[in-house]
Amino acid sequence: MLPRLREEIAGSGGWISFARYMEIVLHEPGLGYYAGAAQKFGPQGDFVTAPELGSLFGRTLARQLAELGSREVLELGAGSGALAATLLSREDLDYRILETSADLRARQQARLGARAKWLERLPERIGGVVLANEVVDALPVHAVAWRAEGIMERGVSLVGGRLTWSERPASGELLETAKGLSAPAPYESEIGLVARAWMRELATRLDQGAIFIIDYGFPHREYYHPQRSMGTLMCHYRHQAHSDPFAHPGEEDLTAHVDFTALAEAASDAGLEVLGYATQAQFLVNCGITEVLAEANLDNALHYAPLAAEAQKLLSPSEMGELFKVLAVGRGLARPLLGFARGDRAATL
Ligand SMILES: C[S@@+](CC[C@H](N)C(=O)[O-])C[C@H]1O[C@@H](n2cnc3c(N)ncnc32)[C@H](O)[C@@H]1O
């Protein structure tokens, strides 16, 4: 990975944006973290996502899909295929997957076989339900610093052969976006220009239906809170979280929290409605996670205990319940959706 980064940095005059760095270390074919063959998901991997914990998340989400009554599902970034496997075990769905990693796509195909179809790119027109669980946090972000001398873009250079942060004045869309955020200098954070463009692209293609973005993150007010002055970048290496994005390039996950206000605005700009925004816990409770749990055989502790542990991880405020949010945007649907019947926080976006 280092020779590839050296070549890229040298070819770009000694400096690349952090977004470009993130794109290479995560997604470069054959080299990037998601492109490589390392075991990423589950207990042996670097992190555990909600669908990887078991089937409870998928079975609960299935109730929201059932309410929408659509057979068409497009899942973006399906990881090991765990969510698809749960949803397809219950319903006969027209299930399509768009996956950028060739390695993960092969894993999904081995797991799901003919039950799903894989796309090379976004379809021209989209209808039904779009799902993206922990995908937006993997999209490249631009790193920005608000300094006394002005707004700087934080990029990556090589000093003495080592990758290091290096700043230059921000310009263009990044500068304009940064100016619109009231961050108090000195302050460092991230701006998801790629995520905004990704959302706009999806939104303009959606004829009828709903897009569910499930991820960790905040609305603007919390994202750019004066106390969050070091941003939200996180690295995950074998279940250890740390904050040095140059420690294991290509061998670890690198993420930033999701700016849900920006995603909602991008969707609205493209003519979609915000259908709801809630914590993961609230969304799952609204969808009936307790009923799904009750379907389990309560007398059989061997069966029930793992499910209860899974529910605890999904719902607990100290685990995924509060930090993870669900944002739904869409067109042509009656509100409220089941998942936002109570505790909808769309007004905070
Ligand atoms: C953290 S994993 C989450 C996987 C899965 N959704 C889950 O919850 O277990 C991120 C996934 O998104 C994929 N991915 C990253 N960028 C993508 C993009 N622009 N379009 C589609 N998939 C993408 C990665 O290859 C990987 O499968």
Side-chain angles (χ1 to χ4, degrees):
M1 176 53 85
L2 260 181
R4 172 71 190 91
L5 287 167
R6 260 189 220 116
E7 172 198 271
E8 180 80 14
I9 293 170
S12 311
W15 185 95
I16 57 172
S17 72
F18 188 74
R20 180 68 186 131
Y21 174 78
M22 201 165 159
E23 191 182 335
I24 295 173
V25 298
L26 290 185
H27 303 295
E28 178 90 347
L31 287 177
Y33 175 75
Y34 283 109
Q39 171 82 32
K40 299 162 183 84
F41 299 90
Q44 269 75 54
D46 298 317
F47 51 80
V48 181
T49 62
E52 293 292 325
L53 291 170
S55 64
L56 195 52
F57 177 80
R59 283 158 64 197
T60 309
L61 184 61
R63 295 164 73 99
Q64 173 64 87
L65 267 51
E67 185 209 36
L68 291 170
S70 170
R71 280 193 60 250
E72 276 181 66
V73 177
L74 169 60
E75 185 179 357
L76 304 171
S80 72
L83 178 60
T86 301
L87 293 173
L88 285 164
S89 69
R90 308 230 132 196
E91 296 276 349
D92 176 27
L93 298 167
D94 176 5
Y95 207 101
R96 290 172 303 160
I97 294 176
L98 178 62
E99 172 56 66
T100 45
S101 153
D103 172 52
L104 289 173
R105 179 182 169 139
R107 271 178 74 178
Q108 294 157 15
Q109 286 171 334
R111 183 168 190 173
L112 304 167
R115 291 183 294 161
K117 293 187 201 73
W118 282 263
L119 306 179
E120 296 295 334
R121 62 190 69 84
L122 275 183
E124 280 306 314
R125 306 306 317 159
I126 303 172
V129 173
V130 179
L131 301 174
N133 187 67
E134 286 207 42
V135 177
V136 182
D137 69 74
L139 297 179
V141 288
H142 286 79
V144 179
W146 285 259
R147 305 274 180 228
E149 62 269 33
I151 299 175
M152 310 296 282
E153 177 170 2
R154 307 176 75 215
V156 186
S157 293
L158 280 163
V159 174
R162 297 174 74 111
L163 295 163
T164 177
W165 287 107
S166 146
E167 297 184 1
R168 49 168 67 177
S171 60
E173 187 189 359
L174 187 64
L175 178 61
E176 290 315 308
T177 311
K179 278 185 189 163
L181 303 165
S182 50
Y187 193 89
E188 292 172 0
S189 192
E190 296 79 42
I191 293 184
L193 295 184
V194 176
R196 283 164 167 82
W198 176 89
M199 187 78 245
R200 271 195 300 275
E201 192 67 44
L202 274 176
T204 49
R205 289 165 191 245
L206 185 77
D207 286 328
Q208 202 270 343
I211 304 169
F212 290 85
I213 312 287
I214 308 160
D215 224 310
Y216 41 91
F218 318 103
H220 266 176
R221 209 166 13 87
E222 279 177 75
Y223 201 103
Y224 299 103
H225 191 280
Q227 281 173 355
R228 205 181 302 287
S229 61
M230 301 298 284
T232 70
L233 276 183
M234 273 197 318
C235 314
H236 294 272
Y237 190 65
R238 300 187 184 145
H239 285 280
Q240 296 283 329
H242 68 93
S243 60
D244 176 9
F246 309 129
H248 308 279
E251 286 167 35
E252 66 181 346
D253 194 20
L254 188 52
T255 80
H257 283 40
V258 172
D259 173 355
F260 281 103
T261 304
L263 292 183
E265 283 174 0
S268 303
D269 289 349
L272 297 195
E273 222 191 318
V274 173
L275 300 169
Y277 172 68
T279 62
Q280 174 171 293
Q282 184 73 60
F283 178 83
L284 293 175
V285 166
N286 287 343
C287 287
I289 193 169
T290 40
E291 284 94 322
V292 177
L293 265 176
E295 286 164 13
N297 182 353
L298 300 186
D299 299 329
N300 184 342
L302 278 181
H303 185 192
Y304 189 69
L307 271 183
E310 202 181 327
Q312 148 81 11
K313 280 228 161 66
L314 293 172
L315 300 176
S316 159
S318 60
E319 304 251 8
M320 303 175 97
E322 284 283 327
L323 179 58
F324 280 71
K325 313 290 190 315
V326 183
L327 169 70
V329 294
R331 209 191 293 278
L333 294 172
R335 290 167 64 189
L337 303 190
L338 177 66
F340 305 102
R342 279 176 300 277
D344 186 354
R345 298 188 186 177
T348 66
L349 285 169

